[in-house]
Amino acid sequence: MNKHIQFTKSEGAGNDFIIIDNLAGDIDLSPDEVAFLCDRHFGIGADGLILAESSGDKAGDFFMKFFNSDGSVAEMCGNGIRCFAKYLYDNCLLNMDTFSISTLAGLKSVALISENSEVNMVKVDMGRFSFKSANVPILIEGDEFIDQTIDVQGQKMKFTSLSMGNPHTVTFVGDIETAPVSTVGPFIENHPIFPKKTNVEFAEVVSDSKLKLRVWERGVGETLACGTGASAAALVANRLGLTGKKVKVELLGGDLETEILNDNILMTGPANRVFTGQIILKMEEKT
C-alpha cells in the first residue's frame, strides 16, 4: 500500500536529517525504507532519519528514534538531537526553552537559544561519557583503549576509543586536509575489535581551545559534521593533555562549541529547518 508521509528536512552544521512525526505510532519503517528515504538520488536525501515519538513510559518529554542513512538504528546523534529540538519548537509541540529528550543512549537535556525571537542554536547536555572498553564496546584486554596502536593496512596509527552512548574512535593527524578519512575510516569502522562497529574521528589540534575535525560515521560514511564525534574528539584531546575543557571544533559544515564538565560534556551548535514536504512511500506489508 502507499502512504503519504509528511516530513521536515533539517540540518545542523551541514549534517542533514529527515524528521517525521510518529506521535500517533502508526509509522513503522523497515531498514530498506529508511535507506530509500535517505537516498540522495531516489529519495529525499539525508545523513539520517528521525522519528518523533511519544516518550511513553520512558523519561523525557519526547523520544528520538534515530536511523543512519543505511537504515541501521543508532543510539544517539548530536546534530540530530539539536535539529529534533528545533523541530519540536517550530511545530509548537512544546512551549519550553529547556526540556529533555529520551534516546537509546539515555536522557538528554536540551536548551533552545533564541536570537530575535528565532531559535537558531541549541545546547545539548550530551550526558555521561565513558572510556571503559566494555562500554564502547571494544574487544581488547584492559579497561581502556587510550592512545593505542592499530596496524592499518601496514601503517601503524594511534587511536583512542570511548562511548558517547554510541562508539567513537579518535586519531590525531598533522593536516586535516590530507587525513585518510575515506580509507582508514571504513577500515576502523569495521575492525573486528568493534562488535558494534565504531564512528571514526580524525582530529587536528590547532590550539588548546580549537580542533579541526573530519568524521567517518558508522553506517553513513564521511559527513560534514557529527555532534557526538565533536564531543568525543574534544574529550580525547583533553584526556591526552592536548586541549583545555572548552574547545571549538571546526568541521566541514560549521563549528560546534564543547565544554567538559565533571563526567559529562555540553555541545552547542546550529539547527535549521531547510524545507518541508510530502513523499509517497510504498509501505511494506508488516507480518
Side-chain angles (χ1 to χ4, degrees), residues 25 163 267 282:
S163 171
M267 182 265 299
K282 184 175 181 179

Side-chain angles (χ1 to χ4, degrees), residues 23 58 183 273:
L23 294 175
K58 305 179 185 71
T183 53
R273 177 170 56 186

Side-chain angles (χ1 to χ4, degrees), residues 28-49:
D28 184 14
L29 299 174
S30 70
D32 286 343
E33 289 166 340
V34 171
F36 165 74
L37 291 171
C38 291
D39 189 280
R40 297 190 183 278
H41 298 286
F42 297 101
I44 300 165
D47 292 323
L49 184 145

Side-chain angles (χ1 to χ4, degrees), residues 1-5 27-37 42-44 278-286:
M1 70 177 175
N2 293 337
K3 189 171 183 68
H4 296 252
I5 294 181
I27 296 175
D28 184 14
L29 299 174
S30 70
D32 286 343
E33 289 166 340
V34 171
F36 165 74
L37 291 171
F42 297 101
I44 300 165
Q278 175 180 275
I279 189 167
I280 300 174
L281 181 64
K282 184 175 181 179
M283 306 290 287
E284 292 182 355
E285 293 294 334
K286 307 299 179 182

Side-chain angles (χ1 to χ4, degrees), residues 194-255:
F194 299 106
K196 293 186 178 180
K197 301 187 178 183
T198 184
N199 299 283
V200 189
E201 283 77 39
F202 299 78
E204 176 188 341
V205 178
V206 179
S207 70
D208 64 358
S209 61
K210 183 177 179 180
L211 294 174
K212 290 184 178 180
L213 189 70
R214 290 173 65 186
V215 182
W216 180 270
E217 288 199 51
R218 176 185 58 166
V220 183
E222 184 173 11
T223 58
L224 296 181
C226 176
T228 52
S231 301
L235 285 163
V236 173
N238 181 258
R239 174 73 183 263
L240 297 180
L242 303 174
T243 59
K245 293 185 179 298
K246 289 187 177 182
V247 175
K248 175 184 284 188
V249 183
E250 181 181 294
L251 299 116
L252 296 176
D255 298 340

